[in-house]
Amino acid sequence: MTGTTGMTVTATQAALDLIGALKARFGQDLLFHQSGGCCDGSAPMCFQQGDYIIGGSDVLVGEIGGVPFYMNADQHARWKHTSLVIDAIDGIGGMFSLENGSGKRFLTRSDVCLR
């Protein structure tokens, strides 16, 4: 889905399944924030709304599985010509992300879009 930026974000079926499981466990009010490389690398992080405060420097990229997807404006400026695909693979989720402990983790794949 395209957000307010022209960049697109979509999700694989595996990611949508994991989002569904997280909604069943934590409720419908979730959000994603694309990590910029601190702590858990550059993984997309899933939080309950209210546990992560979206700031004035965060950009709404779109939504996946009915969940808004944000990233920092500085990172968006560097990635603005990419198409993001959020996937879920076997592994350990980000330390602060809701999928941690599930045996799955979210992963961002991307394609460069020539404009």
Side-chain angles (χ1 to χ4, degrees):
M1 174 181 190
T2 302
T4 58
T5 67
M7 175 187 267
T8 61
V9 61
T10 59
T12 64
Q13 188 59 52
L16 294 173
D17 292 345
L18 183 53
I19 291 167
L22 294 177
K23 284 182 173 183
R25 183 170 177 198
F26 296 103
Q28 298 295 309
D29 294 330
L30 305 178
L31 68 85
F32 278 96
H33 194 277
Q34 176 64 50
S35 174
C38 175
C39 302
D40 290 308
S42 58
M45 308 287 278
C46 186
F47 302 97
Q48 288 179 289
Q49 291 184 18
D51 286 349
Y52 186 91
I53 306 302
I54 298 300
S57 66
D58 291 312
V59 175
L60 176 63
V61 175
E63 69 175 42
I64 53 173
V67 178
F69 191 98
Y70 295 89
M71 75 171 45
N72 182 274
D74 290 341
Q75 184 174 4
H76 178 266
R78 291 187 300 274
W79 288 22
K80 65 185 174 187
H81 297 298
T82 61
S83 175
L84 305 179
V85 179
I86 307 307
D87 199 359
I89 61 171
D90 291 338
I92 298 171
M95 182 185 310
F96 305 110
S97 193
L98 292 177
E99 82 276 12
N100 190 9
S102 71
K104 298 283 184 183
R105 71 181 188 95
F106 290 108
L107 175 73
T108 300
R109 301 180 189 278
S110 62
D111 292 318
V112 175
C113 301
L114 301 176
R115 297 181 193 241

